[in-house]
């Protein structure tokens, strides 16, 4: 419960400088993020700071009243990373959306946390550059959220995850102090890598208010797309292995499993009968022969029919359509819990078989797509629209999936983060001693424990 | 001073399992690393563990006796990162040199800390792969040391620094507990990035005993080398800017300043008179046109004569010779303090001018080479062979160089680490609040403060 007087003090201090939400209905809209299975608590207030100083003032107040703070970007977390706790202060970065600087020569931009990923990418595009991280939510998610979760995406198979694009951070600690980490240089080994520690810390160590990011060159030629269909998962897995081992560097390498393809076909009638797996691949290098090499490796692995190849942007979009339909097709079937495990690339087929076995054992529908080039799978668990929370059978199947990922030398989360949903699983992956280090690090940054409680650390 | 009984206890526990050095003359050889200006203290013992359990036992004993532990790889630190403190236990990883596994399909190897960088690279080479980090010491330095300092190198302009090749670590904490971080997967966001925090922590948080590393593809064609000479530093700086902004991706981009070239010419008579800067560039991609593009950009920036271009490995080596001569040429002139600052690429010429001004002001000879593509400069301060420690004029000039790097949005160390030499400079770069976080993180891992005291944190 919130300390009496906190909301009044917040309004008094910040009400004229930025928006402070205290209206009940509006507050309720900040309960949840996109992990709608997490009910979330009702915040006592939502603050939308406009400056780093506003954030600092809000955190100083929260510290002195002992109020929990839940930082929030666009609220697109699929793990409950931004779900509110009862009586907390939600700190939304949406009003901090300016690109402070963009230097095309050094390929560095300094952006506020609330800048939408796609907006930064567009600004970079004016100089032939790009902001590489491209989570599926990139048109709406914010750089601050991307950084807080170390977001992945489709092209990170070539360009790396968010961490690889972050040179430094501006962060406000729980007590209101503003700390800068990193530099504008590519190489920097002065002191501990606090930048790296904050990337992916899910708002539990402080509020990221700005990031110094590295921009990448935008490919000069549009990508060539290759789509190959397979009659078995094994053949598709073999194709992935061949492409990774012997193929050219790819900028996208997605796998759709049979359950996903059947769901898409049932909805859109795309003639996918008999196809048990599909690969969608892109290359964006300058070698015209690269796409043909990918197609040839897919054939070597036993693709049914000749893979479709297109350099035409319009046609490429049509070939990508099947990948884009995967999630909407799942949503046709019911409520979705989109999960996120990772395994070494060579274990992909085995991991999908383990997912299917868990689904069958618990009578749950699970559709799996994978960023196959990175061994990162999204098994999507489907259940009744009417259900509140995660049904027991789904939870049991998901737990088996997490256990299988760990058995196969993998991870319980490749890009979504631990959030609330997997906080009770983290120790199984990292072990008790590492958990103790986690808690000690948390305490070093946030001794009162007010930052995003219940996330990452259970 | 060492607690009485520690050495006897160490010998009793480990003497039959691994080598324990207690002989005075041998102990003295472990005082210093390659930063010979740091005198170092005399260790009470040196242990060369063979297994992680040996390391654990040694640290447990050191903790219980309150003895400082200085971890050491090959001792190639140029910052005093492995210099001993009086009465400490030096823990050398040289006997832990096995490659535990190497999986070419997933491109992952698990290697012990004492594996020499070049040995791992050769093992990877048998599968068409490479271990990308290539500090100049790569033929003798160990993976553990590379990881502990987040080593850079020449090809990291294309392939990234050591951090980018590390997926996970096995580390022994000060109290002897063995903790694993990370996974074998490319993407993993389960919990805090303790792997990243340990990379570059210079032995102050624990002893890295093994690393799970990512291997990169070895380029299929040998690199093409381009060498261009310039009559002014500005012209060379402009060439670097043009190559970075508009050129192809380069795998090596080195700059030698006029002072370096004069020292090489005085020694080897290579006809370099009138040349104020030289660029040595390599491209290792598959486009034959890339080297010509680099040469053309150098000409556009005003190179004197046509740049030399060669695809022949033998000729390439000859072109690289001038770069390899830079440090030996400096050594002809006296004792060397090899420094290591970084700036955004666009500030390179200004940084070199600031180095030259500081050198002139204090009457010190400074030769500068730079990993120009990364904005990482090595100003080498030369002084009398007879001097003990760093002469005052050199220290004063070096301090001006560090201050200039910070003024130009740079860093006091791009790849060598803070070590002893810059421990008193770290706070000037990161600020007092960040230092407090550094100390809190240190305490979280090493509450007794026995791990590599005096390094990184003054």
């Amino acid at each position: 419960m919130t300390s009496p007087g906190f909301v009044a003090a917040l309004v008094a201090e910040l009400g004229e400088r930025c928006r402070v939400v205290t209206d009940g209905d509006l507050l309720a809209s900040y309960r949840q993020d996109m992990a709608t299975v997490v009910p979330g608590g009702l915040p006592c207030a939502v603050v939308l700071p406009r400056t780093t100083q506003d954030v600092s003032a809000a955190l100083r107040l929260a510290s002195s009243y002992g109020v929990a703070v839940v930082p929030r970007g666009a609220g697109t977390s699929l793990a409950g990373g931004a779900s509110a706790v009862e009586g907390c202060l939600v700190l939304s970065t949406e009003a901090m959306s300016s690109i402070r600087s963009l230097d095309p020569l050094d390929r560095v931009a300094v952006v506020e946390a609330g800048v939408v990923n796609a907006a930064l990418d567009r600004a970079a595009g004016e100089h032939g550059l790009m902001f590489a991280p491209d989570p599926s939510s990139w048109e709406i998610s914010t750089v601050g959220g991307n950084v807080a979760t170390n977001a992945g995406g489709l092209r990170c198979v070539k360009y790396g995850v968010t961490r690889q694009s972050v040179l430094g951070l501006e962060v406000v600690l729980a007590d209101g102090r503003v700390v800068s980490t990193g530099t504008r240089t590519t190489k920097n080994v002065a002191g501990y890598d606090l930048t790296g520690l904050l990337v992916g810390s899910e708002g539990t160590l402080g509020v990221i208010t700005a990031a110094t990011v590295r921009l990448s060159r935008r490919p000069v030629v549009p990508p060539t797309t290759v789509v190959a269909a397979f009659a078995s998962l094994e053949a598709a897995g073999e194709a992935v292995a061949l492409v990774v081992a012997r193929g050219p560097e790819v900028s996208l390498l997605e796998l759709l499993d049979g359950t996903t393809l059947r769901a898409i076909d049932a909805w859109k009638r795309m003639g996918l009968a008999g196809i048990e797996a599909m690969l969608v691949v892109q290359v964006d290098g300058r070698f015209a022969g690269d796409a043909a090499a990918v197609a040839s490796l897919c054939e070597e692995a036993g693709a049914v029919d000749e893979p479709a190849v297109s350099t035409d942007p319009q046609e490429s979009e049509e070939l990508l359509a099947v990948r884009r339909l995967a999630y909407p097709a799942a949503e046709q079937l019911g409520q979705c819990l989109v999960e996120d495990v990772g395994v070494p690339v060579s274990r992909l087929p085995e991991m999908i078989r383990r997912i299917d076995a868990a689904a069958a054992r618990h009578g749950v529908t699970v559709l799996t797509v994978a960023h196959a080039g990175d061994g990162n799978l999204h098994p999507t668990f489907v259940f009744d629209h009417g259900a509140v929370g995660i049904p027991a059978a789904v939870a049991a199947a998901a737990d088996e999936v997490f256990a299988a990922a760990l058995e196969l030398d993998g991870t319980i989360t490749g890009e979504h983060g631990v959030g609330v949903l997997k906080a009770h699983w983290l120790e199984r992956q990292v072990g008790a001693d590492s958990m103790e280090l986690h808690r000690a690090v948390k305490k070093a940054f946030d001794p009162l424990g007010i930052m995003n409680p219940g996330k990452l650390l259970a």
Side-chain angles (χ1 to χ4, degrees), chain A:
Chain A
M1 288 297 95
T2 307
S3 311
F6 170 71
V7 174
L10 185 76
V11 171
E13 177 142 359
L14 284 168
E16 300 201 345
R17 282 154 62 179
C18 60
R19 203 165 148 226
V20 180
V21 175
T22 55
D23 171 74
D25 283 351
L26 263 177
L27 287 180
S29 71
Y30 283 90
R31 271 182 185 272
Q32 293 184 305
D33 53 28
M34 278 174 62
T36 50
V37 292
V38 179
L42 187 68
C44 71
V46 178
V47 64
L48 290 80
R50 297 157 59 93
T51 67
T52 305
Q53 287 64 43
D54 295 347
V55 176
S56 174
L59 287 183
R60 222 166 29 236
L61 272 178
S63 267
S64 70
Y65 283 85
V67 171
V69 177
V70 176
R72 182 183 178 101
T76 55
S77 173
L78 293 167
S83 66
V85 294
E86 197 65 26
C88 75
L89 171 66
V90 168
L91 191 154
S92 164
T93 59
E94 53 199 297
M96 292 185 70
S97 58
S98 95
I99 296 176
R100 290 184 186 163
S101 66
L102 195 160
D103 180 340
L105 184 52
D106 288 325
R107 293 197 209 141
V108 169
V110 180
V111 298
E112 291 184 344
V115 169
V116 169
N117 192 314
L120 173 57
D121 191 55
R122 271 194 298 274
E126 289 171 21
H127 304 277
L129 301 171
M130 66 179 188
F131 181 55
D134 66 337
S136 296
S137 59
W138 74 295
E139 306 239 29
I140 51 170
S141 63
T142 61
V143 172
N146 295 171
V147 170
T149 54
N150 193 12
L154 276 62
R155 63 189 174 198
C156 62
V157 65
K158 177 166 180 180
Y159 297 98
V161 294
T162 299
R163 174 68 192 99
Q164 267 94 70
S165 291
V166 178
L167 296 173
L169 294 172
E170 178 188 88
V171 60
V172 183
L173 302 179
D175 61 11
R177 281 180 299 165
V178 181
V179 174
S180 289
T181 71
T183 59
R184 289 173 72 87
T185 59
T186 315
K187 291 164 75 177
N188 170 36
V189 292
Y192 297 138
D193 183 11
L194 301 184
T195 306
L197 183 60
L198 288 158
V199 173
S201 64
E202 304 189 19
T204 62
L205 301 181
V207 177
I208 291 159
T209 48
T212 302
V213 299
R214 174 149 62 162
L215 304 172
S216 308
R217 290 170 191 225
R218 194 170 279 274
V220 288
V221 289
T224 304
T225 306
V226 180
V227 172
F230 298 86
S232 75
L233 186 60
E234 282 63 32
E238 173 69 12
V240 170
L242 286 176
V243 169
V244 168
R246 283 163 38 197
E249 187 166 33
V250 298
S251 56
L252 181 148
L253 175 44
E254 301 286 306
L255 181 150
L256 292 81
D257 79 342
T259 315
T260 304
L261 294 166
R262 280 184 288 279
I264 294 172
D265 210 33
W267 184 31
K268 294 286 185 183
R269 306 281 163 212
M270 295 178 81
L272 303 173
I275 300 180
E276 282 301 319
M278 186 176 273
L279 290 186
V280 182
V281 191
Q282 288 193 327
V283 291
D284 66 1
R286 294 170 295 165
F287 261 92
D290 282 350
V294 169
S296 155
L297 292 168
C298 289
E299 290 196 86
E300 187 178 332
V304 295
D305 303 327
E306 204 179 314
V309 178
S310 179
T311 55
D312 180 72
Q314 171 83 33
E315 245 180 46
S316 268
E317 263 314 300
E318 285 163 26
L319 289 174
L320 265 179
V322 63
R323 170 63 181 87
R324 296 201 198 286
L325 284 172
Y327 186 68
E331 280 189 312
Q332 298 298 311
L333 305 179
Q335 271 194 80
C336 293
L337 171 67
V338 185
E339 267 310 335
D340 171 50
V341 292
V343 290
V345 172
S346 62
R347 319 298 285 270
L348 263 178
E350 193 175 347
M351 185 64 217
I352 296 180
R353 273 195 301 274
R354 301 282 285 264
I355 293 169
D356 288 346
R361 192 156 31 244
H362 296 280
V364 175
T365 301
V366 181
L367 298 78
T368 298
V369 297
H371 307 309
D374 284 322
N376 183 199
L377 305 99
H378 294 309
T380 297
F381 296 75
V382 179
F383 51 96
D384 278 355
H385 277 297
V388 175
I390 303 175
V394 170
D399 277 355
E400 284 188 22
V401 166
F402 304 149
L406 294 184
E407 266 180 62
L408 299 177
D409 288 330
T411 176
I412 56 170
T413 175
E415 56 181 17
H416 291 174
V418 173
V420 173
L421 285 176
K422 272 175 280 195
H424 60 294
W425 262 88
L426 183 60
E427 181 161 346
R428 284 197 43 186
Q429 175 161 339
V430 304
D433 288 328
S434 176
M435 283 308 288
E436 210 174 289
L437 290 177
H438 275 74
R439 284 187 209 101
V441 166
K442 163 81 174 171
K443 203 166 178 186
F445 280 76
D446 174 25
L448 300 177
I450 64 167
M451 294 308 307
N452 215 9
K455 319 299 159 49
L456 197 144
L457 296 166

